[in-house]
Amino acid sequence: MAGRCTVQGAALRGVEAIPVDVEVSVSRGVPGFHVVGMVDAAVQESKERVRAALRESGFTMPDGRVLVNLAPSSLKKTGSGFDLAIAVGLLVASGQIDPRVAQGTLFAGEVSLNGGIRSVSGLLAYALCARDYGYALACSEDADGLIPVEGLVVKGLRSLRDLRDGGFRDVCLMSSGSAASRLDYADISGNETGKRAFQIAAAGRHGLLMMGPPGSGKTMLASRFPSILPPLDEDEKLRVALVHSVAGEDVSGILAGSRPFRAPHHSATAPGLVGGGNPVRPGEASLADGGVLFLDELAEFKVSVLQQIRQPLESGVVSISRADGTISFPARFMLIAASNPCPCGYFGDPERECTCTSGQVRKYQNRIGGPLMDRIDLHIDVRRVAPGQVISPEGGVSSAKLREGVMAGREYASWRRAHEQVEETTQGLMASCHLDDEDARFFERMAKANSMSGRAIVRTMSVARTIADIDQRREVSRADLCEALSFRVREGVGS
């Protein structure tokens, strides 16, 4: 048996799947099975999986020389997703199945030793690639994490035996489900200032830092933040689900409209937080795209790791440079952080004495770093609630009430931008506030008195603009400026 054929596969690079031609040549000569084209160990191992799977499925392994070339050779290929394309190419080239089975179809899947087809991570990326290039997608009938993609034909395979007569199966695609039950701010008594800060953060997509002693409710406040965020729209669902699909994460909550809430432990490494590794994978910052990245015990993170999120906070993109090029992941997240004020945790607590020296307190807070602090819009102190308030049957303001303000603020801001047609620049922001001369001079005096950086000034003004949007007012008032300044100028942490 001798022959050649080309089957369509794809390689994952970041959150994108790039088409790859799987060229298979079966010829007479010394028996051998070789895979070339800048492949990693997982792709090399496909030879043994495919060999065993063909035999278990009733096919024969060609006796001659088998050469598989994955083109372009300049693109690095990783993972087990090429198994199915290699197996199909080998069967077509050796004349064991009808060549029409492979026409117009992109294959993505891993084969098991008994010939079964397993799903692989990143199926949504493969699906978008197939649609964009006019192919159908052939994968496991149990397409884990694959959602309906408009204009795409999906073909399912249970095992290689299905290829004998071209008998593709229906694929079980994930559909939008119901959102999981959420925690509610009504469960938290007191901390009304903190709830107000979270409402402003949600309305204006601002970052927020909480500082307070252990047991003051920082984690409780943060964990309920998703309950006041608007659900993901259809475009956001696709973008966010794509990142989670590539990472092999569950996408059911995303399809239900729930925004991601990622809370990595403070022992996280730089690749774990912002992405990296070999092969390159998205980190927590990218998995929080469209949602929330919550960093608890902020000062306990390694300084070198923590500073990695400064650039994504500004650009909304994580760029990872490698010898073969730069890989980019989306990272448009809202940063929520919490920290104790000192090593013992009780600096500034009126009820419990702090045992740390002033030098220890300063060193601990400096671990966060001024540049990162400067990029967080809202800084709040969280105090422990009195016992009587905790056991009181009267709950605090509910998530539903806070969400009303969030939705009103976002809708008014969208309407205002559309009618004012102001550019999203520093000058545009200042113009959109419509400050009168007296308030402008007041804000200038406060900025000088507190030695605010240019970034801090802009971010404080942005918070004031959000406060006015929540109240659906065109002009930013003196009261808005004062409230915004109260979230920036704090005792114990510099701005």
Side-chain angles (χ1 to χ4, degrees):
M1 293 181 290
R4 293 182 180 180
C5 80
T6 299
V7 175
Q8 197 63 53
L12 289 177
R13 183 174 175 82
V15 293
E16 181 184 11
I18 300 173
V20 170
D21 292 334
V22 181
E23 302 171 339
V24 181
S25 172
V26 178
S27 60
R28 295 183 178 87
V30 178
F33 194 167
H34 307 280
V35 180
V36 298
M38 201 175 178
V39 299
D40 72 348
V43 182
Q44 286 289 357
E45 290 170 354
S46 67
K47 296 183 295 185
E48 305 308 321
R49 291 191 294 269
V50 169
R51 195 194 308 270
L54 290 180
R55 290 171 178 164
E56 288 294 321
S57 303
F59 296 106
T60 59
M61 187 69 192
D63 295 329
R65 184 172 186 267
V66 176
L67 177 62
V68 178
N69 178 43
L70 306 184
S73 59
S74 59
L75 177 65
K76 188 173 182 179
K77 291 88 178 176
T78 62
S80 58
F82 288 101
D83 287 8
L84 182 56
I86 292 173
V88 171
L90 199 153
L91 292 173
V92 172
S94 60
Q96 299 184 66
I97 63 173
D98 191 334
R100 290 176 295 182
V101 171
Q103 291 177 357
T105 303
L106 188 150
F107 293 86
E110 178 183 331
V111 298
S112 63
L113 298 184
N114 64 1
I117 309 300
R118 295 192 177 112
S119 183
V120 293
S121 298
L123 267 184
L124 183 53
Y126 289 114
L128 295 176
C129 175
R131 182 199 63 183
D132 294 343
Y133 285 88
Y135 297 111
L137 175 67
C139 59
S140 168
E141 66 172 353
D142 182 20
D144 187 29
L146 185 58
I147 65 177
V149 175
E150 186 177 356
L152 175 68
V153 176
V154 182
K155 304 174 181 179
L157 290 169
R158 179 175 296 173
S159 74
L160 292 179
R161 296 181 184 89
D162 295 338
L163 294 170
R164 192 179 299 279
D165 55 3
F168 290 105
R169 303 169 181 267
D170 292 332
V171 176
C172 299
L173 301 177
M174 298 188 69
S175 57
S176 299
S178 57
S181 58
R182 294 171 174 170
L183 300 171
D184 197 294
Y185 277 114
D187 301 332
I188 302 177
S189 298
N191 278 322
E192 299 306 313
T193 300
K195 295 178 186 179
R196 169 64 172 173
F198 273 94
Q199 183 186 51
I200 296 170
R205 301 175 179 86
H206 302 292
L208 185 149
L209 170 65
M210 298 173 284
M211 194 164 283
S216 57
K218 302 186 295 295
T219 303
M220 288 181 65
L221 286 166
S223 64
R224 286 156 175 76
F225 188 48
S227 68
I228 65 174
L229 295 174
L232 293 165
D233 61 33
E234 293 305 316
D235 290 339
E236 288 176 320
K237 284 181 185 178
L238 184 61
R239 188 190 79 221
V240 175
L242 179 59
V243 180
H244 284 247
S245 175
V246 169
E249 297 269 340
D250 180 33
V251 299
S252 56
I254 293 167
L255 296 184
S258 300
R259 293 185 179 273
F261 183 86
R262 308 293 299 190
H265 190 259
H266 57 74
S267 62
T269 62
L273 189 61
V274 298
N278 186 23
V280 178
R281 287 172 48 86
E284 292 292 335
S286 295
L287 292 169
D289 180 58
V292 181
L293 179 64
F294 175 47
L295 302 183
D296 201 1
E297 303 295 344
L298 187 66
E300 298 294 339
F301 281 80
K302 289 184 179 179
V303 176
S304 59
V305 172
L306 199 57
Q307 301 309 315
Q308 299 275 341
I309 66 171
R310 284 162 49 185
Q311 181 261 337
L313 275 174
E314 293 286 341
S315 64
V317 175
V318 171
S319 297
I320 300 172
S321 296
R322 291 290 185 266
D324 59 341
T326 300
I327 299 173
S328 297
F329 294 105
R332 292 181 288 272
F333 58 86
M334 282 181 284
L335 176 64
I336 303 297
S339 176
N340 291 335
C342 65
C344 80
Y346 295 100
F347 176 72
D349 190 325
E351 299 177 6
R352 186 163 176 176
E353 185 179 358
C354 174
T355 60
C356 305
T357 65
S358 58
Q360 288 176 316
V361 174
R362 188 160 46 249
K363 182 179 179 181
Y364 189 79
Q365 295 189 8
N366 285 342
R367 286 177 57 85
I368 300 174
L372 180 59
M373 291 286 292
D374 213 28
R375 288 168 169 81
I376 301 177
D377 300 347
L378 302 167
H379 303 163
I380 62 172
D381 290 308
V382 181
R383 302 300 182 192
R384 285 186 292 176
V385 179
Q389 234 177 334
V390 174
I391 63 177
S392 172
E394 296 182 5
V397 61
S398 68
S399 292
K401 185 65 176 177
L402 292 171
R403 188 166 57 248
E404 288 178 9
V406 172
M407 298 304 295
R410 289 198 176 200
E411 290 170 5
Y412 183 80
S414 297
W415 175 88
R416 175 178 51 76
R417 293 189 192 101
H419 283 72
E420 293 183 348
Q421 296 183 344
V422 176
E423 296 183 0
E424 294 187 10
T425 61
T426 300
Q427 292 75 17
L429 170 64
M430 297 303 179
S432 70
C433 292
H434 304 286
L435 292 178
D436 61 33
D437 293 340
E438 186 176 346
D439 287 345
R441 287 192 293 270
F442 163 77
F443 185 69
E444 184 179 353
R445 290 196 302 271
M446 292 299 296
K448 287 181 178 179
N450 292 282
S451 303
M452 294 172 66
S453 67
R455 181 183 286 111
I457 291 171
V458 172
R459 290 185 178 272
T460 303
M461 189 64 75
S462 178
V463 171
R465 179 63 267 175
T466 298
I467 294 170
D469 287 338
I470 292 174
D471 293 335
Q472 300 184 338
R473 288 182 283 102
R474 180 172 178 268
E475 293 82 12
V476 171
S477 67
R478 175 77 66 92
D480 300 331
L481 292 174
C482 290
E483 186 174 8
L485 285 164
S486 71
F487 290 123
R488 168 63 65 168
V489 181
R490 296 176 52 255
E491 200 175 301
V493 179
S495 61

